[in-house]
Amino acid sequence: QYTVKNQRTYGISKVKVLSVKSSFTDDEMNLVISNHFPKLFSSGNYRSNMTLGQFKIEAKGQFNVSLYDVTAKWTIKGKLQKIDGEDYMVINTFDVLPEARDMKIAATGIFPSEELSNYSHLLIYSNAHEYFLQTNLQTTSSISTGKYSIVR
């Protein structure tokens, strides 16, 4: 489990939309959007409680992640709801499935020892793609539980 605070992400304005597929009825909407970001950079503070084998690791610190040549598929689903007599299209799920050609990760405070922290950076960096896929699965789950309203 991990918590992220004060996260800032840069590079979103450079998005290039590759395709949009939509399906609308009177009560529902489905959008599938494919896009490309040349580079995304994100930084912030984290707190983590995780288990690595038999070891429990509680860490907190700062992180930054650079992603290069990112393609993403957004799947957005919504249903019509009446709120205070007005019709709103409420987004029920917003799933994000990104893929990055390359990524760089750095984090402080993973271990109290500088030597172990340096080793963990090497381990995370050499397995960045697998780490990214695992993190993405958790991100997709958390985004899907949110509710967003769009005026019809």
Side-chain angles (χ1 to χ4, degrees), residues 1-119:
Q1 175 184 341
Y2 62 90
T3 304
V4 174
K5 291 186 178 182
N6 302 321
Q7 181 176 0
R8 293 180 183 230
T9 301
Y10 305 91
I12 294 174
S13 65
K14 304 291 185 192
V15 66
K16 179 180 179 185
V17 176
L18 303 175
S19 68
V20 177
K21 296 178 184 175
S22 63
S23 168
F24 289 90
T25 66
D26 288 340
D27 299 326
E28 295 182 354
M29 74 163 197
N30 291 302
L31 292 171
V32 177
I33 303 169
S34 297
N35 50 52
H36 178 264
F37 302 89
K39 179 182 177 184
L40 292 172
F41 176 78
S42 189
S43 65
N45 301 314
Y46 78 94
R47 178 178 294 254
S48 175
N49 295 316
M50 61 184 165
T51 305
L52 185 62
Q54 296 179 355
F55 299 103
K56 184 175 181 178
I57 301 169
E58 293 182 10
K60 68 178 181 176
Q62 298 175 335
F63 74 91
N64 65 59
V65 179
S66 295
L67 301 167
Y68 302 93
D69 194 19
V70 180
T71 55
K73 177 181 163 186
W74 297 345
T75 304
I76 305 166
K77 296 181 180 184
K79 292 189 177 197
L80 187 68
Q81 286 187 8
K82 194 170 282 292
I83 302 172
D84 295 329
E86 297 287 328
D87 288 337
Y88 288 86
M89 186 61 70
V90 177
I91 295 175
N92 301 103
T93 61
F94 190 133
D95 293 332
V96 179
L97 184 60
E99 290 184 20
R101 178 184 49 80
D102 191 19
M103 75 183 318
K104 295 182 179 164
I105 301 171
T108 63
I110 295 175
F111 294 102
S113 158
E114 185 177 338
E115 214 171 76
L116 280 174
S117 287
N118 291 339
Y119 178 74

